[in-house]
């Protein structure tokens, strides 16, 4: 589940444009989201987000990854809904 949590955290940050707002949407701390995204980037060996003190933006790799990640998250949600 750690990988799915990391992908979900990455998508939340990308959608919100910040770690703080992404974390708020997930109901967790910004520090936890930051660690999940960092672990994801380390596992992939690629930077997905450009970070500055005021802004978070997607890298080209991050943009491509987000597209596939959204589909994966939607499929997973549909899977769980089909069982509920």
């Amino acid at each position: 589940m750690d990988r799915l949590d990391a992908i979900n955290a990455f998508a939340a940050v990308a959608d919100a444009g910040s770690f703080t707002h992404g974390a708020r949407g997930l109901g967790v701390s910004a520090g936890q989201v930051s660690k999940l995204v960092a672990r994801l980037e380390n596992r992939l060996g690629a930077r997905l987000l450009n970070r500055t003190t005021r802004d978070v933006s997607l890298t080209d790799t991050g943009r491509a990854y987000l597209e596939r990640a959204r589909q994966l998250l939607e499929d997973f949600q549909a899977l769980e809904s089909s069982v509920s």
Side-chain angles (χ1 to χ4, degrees):
M1 201 58 118
D2 181 48
R3 285 186 182 189
L4 189 59
D5 290 338
I7 293 168
N8 196 40
F10 164 67
V13 170
D15 291 342
S18 81
F19 282 87
T20 302
H21 292 116
R24 191 173 297 140
L26 295 173
V28 297
S29 73
Q32 184 177 0
V33 168
S34 179
K35 286 179 186 177
L36 285 169
V37 172
R39 287 181 195 149
L40 177 63
E41 289 178 322
N42 286 337
R43 186 172 36 251
L44 296 172
R47 181 166 291 277
L48 302 175
L49 297 167
N50 292 313
R51 301 155 175 85
T52 67
T53 55
R54 296 180 186 250
D55 190 39
V56 174
S57 62
L58 290 166
T59 63
D60 290 339
T61 302
R63 198 169 289 108
Y65 190 82
L66 180 60
E67 186 177 319
R68 299 283 308 269
R70 280 192 177 126
Q71 185 61 51
L72 174 71
L73 293 169
E74 288 173 15
D75 289 347
F76 187 77
Q77 182 62 39
L79 172 64
E80 290 205 330
S81 294
S82 72
V83 175
S84 300

